[in-house]
Amino acid sequence: MRFAYPWRIASVCLALLLANTLGVGSEDLPAAAVTPRTDQEPITPIPPAPDADPRKLALGARLFNDPRLSHDGSRACVTCHDVSSNGADANERDTAMDGSPYQFNTSTVFNAALSFRYGWEGRFRTLEAQVESSLNNPLLMGTSVDEVLVKLRSDDELAGLFREAYGHAPDRDSLFNAIATYERSLLTPGSRFDHWLNGDVTALTADELSGYRLFKSLGCVSCHQGVNIGGNLFERHGIFHPLAAPKPEILRVPSLRNIVMTPPYFHDGSAATLDEAVRKMGAAQLDRKLSDRQVDAIVAFLQTLTGTYHGAPVVAAQP
Amino acid sequence: MRIAPTIVAVPLLVLLLTWLSLRAANLDAEQFYRALGELDHFSMVEAAVHRDVLNMRIGVLRNYDPLVQEVNALSTSLAQLRETVASDEQTVKVIDRLAQSVRQREALVEKFKSSNALLQNSLAYFSMFSDRLVPADQIESMTPGVGALAAAMLRLTLDTSSTTALAVEDRLNELAREPVSPGDAEAVNALLAHGRLLHDLLPATDAMLKSLCGAPEKANRILVRDLIGAHQEASRATAHRFRVVLYITSLALVAALVYLGLQLQQRASALRRRAAFEHVLAGISIRFLNSRPQHIDRNIDQALAEMAECVGADRAYFAVLGPSPCLHRWSRGDITYPPNWPERAPALAAKFNPAFEGIVQVVDANALARGAE
């Protein structure tokens, strides 16, 4: 017996195979009141912040706001990472110490601890390493760890807080640990999407749920998955078409948590709006020209990813 | 009694026993168990990495977070293992080689994740566009090359050999040469773009999987286990030897204790006898001091009897030689005197050299010639 249309069988088999892996075709299912099966969803809810010594946490928060961590005292961590809004700022690219625009757009510090590497290029394996690099970077804080330690040790009150938290005067490890401990606490649980993942079927509207399904079926979820909806792998950008500044070619996939509140987008901050970013991503990474309806649906889903910090929703930074 | 040797000997003995006990206790055993446990944990995590890359490839695993945690756990496990065996330079060197291998593997895992993400995307799009070009209600595609490409691509998902990849490349080139209706042009172009990506990604990703699930770390892992095992065995053997030495030392100490106990008993007994004799002498002395001259002989007889009874003698004599000799004698119960005794006593005493103040000491009475008494 000879199959008259082997390509038809092949096409059906391939479609079945992919339906299993990516949920292709789920766009056609009814959208409302669907109970998620958390173990089958590629995204997981944000866990509670890890337990931490409150003295170290308070010290880290104080250091995060301390301009003495920059050489000329002109900026603190919070200058670019405003935790009262979105954990970043509204600038396309922040100004470096020499007055030039910095190479990268400032990423939000919210949920940064959930990523597997830190920085746009993912060069840092620990938050402590990133803190050290930021201090020593002449374009960012323009100081050195030793210079910062001299300043901190000369402050009796702060040195006392170090002794209370760590049992000794400020040193490299305790400085890095205090800031990293604080950064690990900067999680934003409580997004509507997390509520839905936790079983609240009313947390998402039908449009938002459709947007989530589209997000999966279009393949966005191939990279933007896991607890941080990204942040757990490296990927080349501009696979099919240019996306943004061509260098660096490989980036750590950014998290989409609170994405609506963290414009502008991409590593060079070249996409001013989320609509624009979604469209560009579709073309560059998926070779897909997304329709307005598709963009709206995906943005509707992305709007459900805004969490809360200290009980208040994360908001966009003011320009 | 000389106390100084005892003061020196006792602490030395305590130190010796403590040292022997510590060496016999095999205190390193815990360290080796921890190291082997950590190595088991490392193997488990490594197996989990293999499992999860395969699961990611087939789409069973929903995100990369478990893989990230496992890769981090590999490094953490090795760091702990290194810390546990830090004292052994040889094992540390092998662990460092293992760590280097883990770093290479981690880089491969990252490449796999990036490649697999693109692969999953392109597979989805390839399916979607081929479906669009070949609607289910149509028997034949408007673009015949689409079906042939889909069939070749399906084979490539199952077999990523160069032959199959070459077939896909041929189908891609054929489709690219086919005339396409304007309505299908966009879909065909997308199909070709994702098809070309898949043509590269499927074999490359499977090659990564093969490398990841290969066993270059196994040799180093086995070597670490063997080294730890050898050290553990040597530690056990040493501990066993020290247990034997400790046992022998304990036996020697028991023998010494028994000997000392017997010595002590003998000395105590001698002391008791001596005390009793001294007591008798004291009584005799007091009696002589209070005695009247006419009672001296009677008191001598009594003293002789008391002293002889005290030392357990059968017979006793008190002879005064000289110008006015006199002789006192005593015997236990009905024991008789040997012939010519006690008259021969002075002659016998004269045969010995008096040691001190005319006292004759016979160390071993049995050694005397028979009949000498």
Side-chain angles (χ1 to χ4, degrees):
Chain A
M1 182 179 174
R2 185 167 175 269
F3 289 110
Y5 303 106
W7 48 268
R8 161 61 62 195
I9 297 166
S11 184
V12 170
C13 289
L14 198 56
L16 284 174
L17 176 71
L18 295 169
N20 182 42
T21 61
L22 282 176
V24 171
S26 57
E27 276 180 282
D28 304 329
L29 296 173
V34 175
T35 305
R37 292 189 59 182
T38 309
D39 60 329
Q40 292 188 4
E41 294 301 334
I43 300 171
T44 52
I46 288 183
D51 290 335
D53 184 334
R55 291 170 300 184
K56 294 177 182 174
L57 207 54
L59 183 58
R62 187 164 169 163
L63 291 168
F64 200 79
N65 288 275
D66 195 331
R68 286 175 296 181
L69 266 63
S70 61
H71 175 65
D72 57 4
S74 63
R75 57 180 70 185
C77 305
V78 77
T79 307
C80 297
H81 297 285
D82 179 11
V83 293
S84 67
S85 59
N86 63 0
D89 58 27
N91 299 331
E92 186 177 313
R93 286 184 287 162
D94 283 311
T95 307
M97 290 289 269
D98 63 358
S100 65
Y102 189 62
Q103 182 185 7
F104 295 117
N105 169 256
T106 299
S107 301
T108 176
V109 72
F110 284 136
N111 306 310
L114 298 177
S115 293
F116 86 132
R117 300 280 192 277
Y118 307 104
W120 276 102
E121 294 175 281
R123 287 169 48 212
F124 307 105
R125 286 174 173 268
T126 63
L127 288 169
E128 286 84 349
Q130 192 183 32
V131 169
E132 181 177 14
S133 171
S134 298
L135 293 178
N136 289 329
N137 189 330
L139 296 176
L140 289 178
M141 305 302 268
T143 183
S144 68
V145 177
D146 291 337
E147 184 185 45
V148 171
L149 288 174
V150 168
K151 291 179 191 173
L152 298 182
R153 283 172 189 150
S154 64
D155 181 338
D156 291 342
E157 187 195 351
L158 202 59
L161 292 176
F162 267 96
R163 275 191 209 91
E164 278 179 28
Y166 292 96
H168 52 72
D171 63 3
R172 296 174 67 88
D173 289 347
S174 55
L175 171 64
F176 300 156
N177 180 263
I179 298 174
T181 300
Y182 174 63
E183 288 181 344
R184 277 189 275 271
S185 76
L186 297 176
L187 304 187
T188 63
S191 69
R192 286 195 291 122
F193 186 69
D194 279 0
H195 286 309
W196 181 79
L197 285 174
N198 286 323
D200 179 1
V201 294
T202 64
L204 300 187
T205 66
D207 287 345
E208 289 161 350
L209 202 51
S210 291
Y212 175 49
R213 291 199 177 116
L214 192 59
F215 181 83
K216 289 196 286 186
S217 64
L218 284 177
C220 313
V221 80
S222 295
C223 292
H224 294 284
Q225 33 62 47
V227 65
N228 220 12
I229 320 179
N232 59 4
L233 76 157
F234 294 102
E235 194 53 272
R236 189 158 50 94
H237 66 88
I239 304 280
F240 296 100
H241 304 284
L243 177 71
K247 297 288 180 181
E249 292 173 358
I250 295 175
L251 298 168
R252 188 214 62 197
V253 173
S255 165
L256 296 186
R257 292 277 178 191
N258 305 307
I259 190 70
V260 174
M261 299 299 170
T262 58
Y265 303 100
F266 302 151
H267 57 284
D268 58 355
S270 58
T273 66
L274 195 52
D275 283 27
E276 181 188 349
V278 170
R279 259 181 237 282
K280 282 186 171 177
M281 284 294 288
Q285 302 299 96
L286 309 173
D287 196 27
R288 188 82 193 265
K289 186 178 177 185
L290 299 176
S291 66
D292 290 348
R293 203 169 141 230
Q294 286 174 319
V295 172
D296 290 345
I298 291 175
V299 169
F301 157 64
L302 296 176
Q303 282 171 343
T304 70
L305 301 177
T306 303
T308 60
Y309 178 61
H310 283 174
V314 173
V315 295
Q318 294 302 312
Chain B
M1 183 181 175
R2 289 176 300 172
I3 197 76
T6 309
I7 290 174
V8 175
V10 168
L12 284 177
L13 194 60
V14 169
L15 281 176
L16 174 69
L17 290 174
T18 306
W19 180 67
L20 286 174
S21 300
L22 290 175
R23 296 301 306 267
N26 193 11
L27 296 178
D28 292 338
E30 179 66 22
Q31 176 195 350
F32 293 124
Y33 285 130
R34 266 193 288 123
L36 288 173
E38 198 57 59
L39 199 58
D40 287 341
H41 176 66
F42 177 83
S43 304
M44 281 174 58
V45 178
E46 195 181 32
V49 170
H50 293 167
R51 180 199 64 210
D52 282 346
V53 291
L54 290 169
N55 282 343
M56 271 323 296
R57 173 68 184 83
I58 61 172
V60 172
L61 195 63
R62 312 302 294 183
N63 61 55
Y64 293 106
D65 286 351
L67 209 47
V68 167
Q69 288 158 9
E70 286 151 10
V71 170
N72 288 341
L74 279 181
S75 300
T76 307
S77 180
L78 273 189
Q80 287 180 354
L81 185 60
R82 196 179 191 285
E83 194 180 317
T84 308
V85 300
S87 56
D88 179 39
E89 200 175 325
Q90 193 184 6
T91 311
V92 166
K93 277 183 184 169
V94 182
I95 289 173
D96 286 345
R97 288 209 298 270
L98 198 55
Q100 175 66 24
S101 169
V102 165
R103 280 192 289 275
Q104 289 168 355
R105 184 150 294 211
E106 183 183 359
L108 203 54
V109 167
E110 293 310 325
K111 278 181 73 177
F112 165 78
K113 283 156 61 182
S114 304
S115 177
N116 189 58
L118 293 179
L119 181 66
Q120 301 294 338
N121 260 345
S122 285
L123 279 171
Y125 278 95
F126 189 88
S127 169
M128 189 171 69
F129 286 119
S130 58
D131 270 0
R132 184 180 296 177
L133 290 164
V134 189
D137 57 350
Q138 290 186 19
I139 295 173
E140 291 189 50
S141 167
M142 302 288 284
T143 311
V146 172
L149 176 60
M153 192 61 78
L154 176 61
R155 279 195 295 276
L156 189 61
T157 61
L158 304 171
D159 168 19
T160 53
S161 65
S162 56
T163 313
T164 322
L166 198 62
V168 168
E169 191 179 350
D170 290 345
R171 299 294 88 75
L172 282 166
N173 292 335
E174 284 168 15
L175 182 60
R177 285 194 295 271
E178 275 185 27
V180 180
S181 66
D184 286 345
E186 186 189 349
V188 169
N189 285 337
L191 192 69
L192 285 170
H194 286 286
R196 289 199 175 96
L197 202 58
L198 286 173
H199 168 266
D200 296 338
L201 282 174
L202 277 166
T205 309
D206 276 8
M208 286 178 212
L209 273 180
K210 280 178 191 166
S211 298
L212 275 171
C213 298
E217 284 160 18
K218 195 176 175 185
N220 282 330
R221 206 177 59 224
I222 290 171
L223 190 53
V224 172
R225 187 177 292 280
D226 288 349
L227 282 170
I228 295 172
H231 286 304
Q232 188 180 35
E233 198 54 45
S235 173
R236 279 180 186 151
T238 304
H240 178 72
R241 281 198 301 277
F242 275 93
R243 278 198 295 275
V244 171
V245 173
L246 189 62
Y247 176 69
I248 292 169
T249 309
S250 302
L251 286 182
L253 280 175
V254 167
L257 278 175
V258 169
Y259 171 75
L260 288 174
L262 290 173
Q263 289 277 305
L264 189 64
Q265 193 180 19
Q266 282 179 357
R267 290 190 180 194
S269 178
L271 280 173
R272 274 198 304 275
R273 285 200 306 273
R274 186 181 181 118
F277 192 68
E278 294 287 348
H279 182 71
V280 168
L281 287 180
I284 291 169
S285 300
I286 290 168
R287 209 162 44 243
F288 274 113
L289 287 173
N290 297 329
S291 175
R292 293 180 180 177
Q294 63 268 27
H295 297 149
I296 287 293
D297 286 341
R298 193 184 70 196
N299 283 340
I300 289 174
D301 287 340
Q302 189 182 349
L304 193 61
E306 285 175 358
M307 284 193 291
E309 280 183 348
C310 185
V311 300
D314 291 334
R315 292 177 286 272
Y317 312 102
F318 178 72
V320 180
L321 306 177
S324 51
C326 76
L327 181 66
H328 296 270
R329 58 186 175 186
W330 172 87
S331 68
R332 184 184 302 279
D334 54 354
I335 293 176
T336 58
Y337 298 99
N340 303 321
W341 274 82
E343 289 77 11
R344 283 185 57 200
L348 181 62
K351 289 183 180 175
F352 296 92
N353 293 323
F356 176 69
E357 291 185 348
I359 296 170
V360 171
Q361 185 179 11
V362 180
V363 176
D364 185 4
N366 293 326
L368 291 174
R370 191 163 188 80
E373 69 277 26

